[in-house]
Amino acid sequence: MRITELFDNGEFVVTAEVGPPKGIHLEHLVEEAKTYLSGITAVNVTDNQSSVMRTSTLATCVAMKNAGLTPIYQTTCRDRNRLALQSDLLGAAAMGIENILCLTGDHTRLGDHPGAKPVFDLDSVSLLYAASELEKGRDLAGIELVGEPPKFAKGAVVSPISDSVDAQLAKMERKVMAGADYFQTQAVFEPEKFIKFMEAAKQFGKPVQLGVIIPKSVGMCKFMNNNVAGVHVPDEMLDELRADKEKTKAGITGIEIAARIIRECKPYCQGVHIMALGWESKVPALLEMAGL
Amino acid sequence: MLITELKNKETILSLITGKVFIINCHGCKEIRFPEHEAEALQKELQESGNVTGILTTDYICNPDYLKQRFAKHEAEIEAADMILVFSCGVGVQTVAAYFENKRVCAACDTYALPGYQGVTPLEHDCDQCGECYLNITGGICPLTACSKSLVNGQCGGAKNGMCEVDPNMECGWERIYQRLKKVGRLDALKCPVQVRNYATDPDK
């Protein structure tokens, strides 16, 4: 099932994400996803996220699919050149994985193999273009594929709370031009800014899923404010997390905040993408509180 | 060492809007510059009546020299809508930085050759990639100004306008975006999807 079909039917699409482990045992990840994420539409599987080496995304996607979940194959341009990227896209389609999310990827310098060669032969835009070309039955070199071409739901990301929203919109337009079918956003903590962004982004006519992170603690939010591009947790939200330490520790404050953001933004977007960051167990409670 | 080659004629003609001031750099002696081809093309342009002036000089990569050399041509430059530069990528970038509010275009592609590096790149760096991107990036090289050498716009990694790899380095694409905005050329970002051709770059 391609999630574009759901967007086309006017459904509000809820996705979440999981990160493969640094090891060969996928059982725990799959079990956790089955337990907490089976109520949602599809699960993103990240690709060596934060440039930290982990088990292959494609292999994890297959494990998720075998367990009855719908994986979204995230693919970045950091580790593979255009041959490998296209080859893996075809491999994904061959395994029945048709939902993809194309990203440029963090630089290798930021991860656990800082001496690795950063590839970036393609980038998010040219990768989307490559996927579009494969759908037309030819590769990036213009050479015909054998047999029926793949069909993807091609996702991309955008940062609505960036310090340069206009530049983000310009990049979003390039992604649409290259074939992006839907967008997932970076985590949003300021609904009013998101709503303003969506006013401008709706000109592209592509479904956008609001990115949501459950704030776990003041420390986590401060870290994101200082280090994570496109993420800003406002002061009043930090105060809210500070107010009742036990409640925050139990995750209740975070769930309340996240649910509130979802409810405020829901009329302006076409879905939600939850980045639970280890708090997968809180996702069902969040969905319930947000009325999803 | 490096070689500069003229971009194809259609590409160069498609860059020209309104009146144009031309700069030729006959700088480094080690460089092969397509002098005759450039001259023939410029003669044609002059005949069309759209050229306000031509400055042929050397080492335009040095902004101090540039200032002195532009002095005699101020009126011609003022009368031009754009500046077309026949030089290596460093030269184009230096001119583009000098005329922040004027559109500056590259008429050449720069290819690398092994051996002594003849130019004196001060602030600007040319990757000598053989398919100059400066015309779609407002005269700021995306290969050297962006840590990931991206050619289709910024990644999501910049924080407060600074690069995710080096917090002391401005995001190259943020600079490009601001420059394009300043010269009224944001439409350049609507150009077709760019895919690099590494076959033009013997070093890679």
Side-chain angles (χ1 to χ4, degrees):
Chain A
M1 180 269 306
R2 289 188 295 275
I3 67 167
T4 37
E5 295 163 22
L6 305 179
F7 288 122
D8 289 345
N9 289 338
E11 284 180 45
F12 194 78
V13 176
V14 182
T15 56
E17 73 182 33
V18 296
K22 203 182 190 71
I24 61 172
H25 290 285
L26 304 176
E27 304 85 356
H28 176 70
L29 180 90
V30 171
E31 268 320 301
E32 210 172 50
K34 269 169 71 179
T35 309
Y36 302 117
L37 307 178
S38 54
I40 64 163
T41 306
V43 182
N44 286 35
V45 180
T46 56
D47 179 11
N48 291 335
Q49 73 267 34
S50 308
S51 305
V52 172
M53 192 287 294
R54 291 156 190 268
T55 297
S56 137
T57 316
L58 196 47
T60 309
C61 282
V62 172
M64 300 284 277
K65 193 174 159 60
N66 290 344
L69 294 147
T70 303
I72 297 178
Y73 171 52
Q74 282 195 199
T75 178
T76 74
C77 301
R78 173 192 53 239
D79 309 320
R80 286 162 294 167
N81 71 3
R82 66 190 78 175
L83 277 79
L85 288 167
Q86 293 179 97
S87 159
D88 282 348
L89 283 176
L90 291 179
M95 302 306 287
I97 295 156
E98 299 179 299
N99 295 297
I100 61 170
L101 187 81
C102 300
L103 306 115
T104 297
D106 294 323
H107 200 281
T108 44
R109 207 69 57 74
L110 308 179
D112 67 349
H113 288 60
K117 180 177 184 183
V119 179
F120 302 116
D121 178 25
L122 300 184
D123 53 46
S124 52
V125 175
S126 43
L127 177 57
L128 284 161
Y129 175 72
S132 303
E133 289 296 289
L134 293 175
E135 289 179 323
K136 287 177 193 146
R138 55 182 185 243
D139 64 18
L140 212 42
I143 298 161
E144 270 182 54
L145 304 180
V146 178
E148 186 197 344
K151 182 77 193 129
F152 299 109
K154 304 180 292 303
V157 295
V158 65
S159 251
I161 318 292
S162 148
D163 13 276
S164 182
V165 173
D166 290 345
Q168 278 294 319
L169 285 165
K171 183 78 185 266
M172 188 178 181
E173 187 172 1
R174 283 190 77 68
K175 290 180 178 183
V176 171
M177 190 177 82
D181 298 311
Y182 69 97
F183 285 86
Q184 295 183 337
T185 78
Q186 179 57 287
V188 170
F189 291 96
E190 294 157 299
E192 62 291 352
K193 285 192 184 166
F194 176 75
I195 292 164
K196 205 170 153 218
F197 170 83
M198 285 307 298
E199 284 295 316
K202 71 181 178 200
Q203 61 176 306
F204 303 126
K206 297 293 174 190
V208 175
Q209 291 179 277
L210 168 82
V212 173
I213 287 178
I214 306 169
K216 292 182 187 177
S217 65
V218 174
M220 174 217 204
C221 294
K222 281 187 172 167
F223 177 83
M224 292 193 294
N225 282 351
N226 292 330
N227 300 292
V228 182
V231 176
H232 180 247
V233 187
D235 288 344
E236 57 271 23
M237 225 166 251
L238 295 177
D239 291 340
E240 205 176 329
L241 288 163
R242 268 187 207 105
D244 186 338
K245 286 198 172 65
E246 285 310 306
K247 193 179 158 194
T248 295
K249 210 172 161 190
I252 300 167
T253 318
I255 291 172
E256 282 174 3
I257 291 173
R260 195 172 67 223
I261 295 168
I262 295 172
R263 282 197 307 268
E264 283 181 43
C265 296
K266 191 170 180 248
Y268 304 91
C269 58
Q270 290 70 42
V272 172
H273 175 64
I274 301 161
M275 294 161 268
L277 307 172
W279 270 15
E280 283 72 19
S281 63
K282 315 272 189 221
V283 171
L286 169 62
L287 295 180
E288 200 188 332
M289 194 177 282
L292 295 172
Chain B
M1 298 258 292
L2 57 90
I3 289 180
T4 50
E5 292 281 9
L6 243 51
K7 285 180 178 287
N8 72 48
K9 196 172 162 185
E10 292 73 47
T11 305
I12 296 174
L13 294 178
S14 74
L15 295 169
I16 296 172
T17 46
K19 302 270 184 204
V20 54
F21 182 77
I22 291 171
I23 299 173
N24 291 301
C25 182
H26 289 182
C28 324
K29 297 288 172 252
E30 304 81 4
I31 290 175
R32 186 204 169 261
F33 180 77
E35 211 173 316
H36 299 298
E37 296 98 308
E39 219 167 81
L41 181 75
Q42 289 169 20
K43 207 170 165 195
E44 242 177 82
L45 291 174
Q46 270 180 313
E47 281 160 9
S48 73
N50 287 327
V51 177
T52 64
I54 297 180
L55 165 63
T56 299
T57 180
D58 57 10
Y59 298 104
I60 63 169
C61 50
N62 186 322
D64 293 332
Y65 294 172
L66 262 193
K67 204 172 173 179
Q68 297 165 19
R69 281 157 197 174
F70 285 149
K72 277 190 204 157
H73 298 271
E74 262 172 23
E76 293 166 5
I77 294 168
E78 185 58 38
D81 299 296
M82 62 169 293
I83 299 173
L84 187 61
V85 185
F86 292 72
S87 77
C88 78
V90 177
V92 182
Q93 291 182 75
T94 311
V95 175
Y98 189 89
F99 294 107
E100 265 201 319
N101 296 308
K102 223 176 222 358
R103 189 165 164 240
V104 174
C105 286
C108 298
D109 288 319
T110 307
Y111 295 80
L113 273 186
Y116 173 68
Q117 186 82 34
V119 290
T120 324
L122 299 170
E123 295 164 49
H124 308 286
D125 197 6
C126 170
D127 209 41
Q128 306 174 344
C129 69
E131 45 176 352
C132 192
Y133 286 93
L134 294 170
N135 295 329
I136 53 171
T137 57
I140 296 171
C141 173
L143 306 191
T144 55
C146 167
S147 297
K148 297 174 184 171
S149 296
L150 301 180
V151 292
N152 284 296
Q154 63 185 182
C155 72
K159 183 90 182 167
N160 302 321
M162 303 309 262
C163 175
E164 68 175 26
V165 182
D166 179 358
N168 298 313
M169 176 180 157
E170 247 184 294
C171 166
W173 273 98
E174 182 61 29
R175 286 173 53 212
I176 291 169
Y177 185 83
Q178 294 307 334
R179 171 74 62 78
L180 288 172
K181 198 171 169 184
K182 220 168 177 178
V183 295
R185 290 306 304 240
L186 283 174
D187 61 306
L189 296 175
K190 295 185 201 289
C191 69
V193 173
Q194 301 293 312
V195 179
R196 271 187 79 178
N197 177 11
Y198 283 90
T200 61
D201 193 337
D203 281 353
K204 296 287 183 321

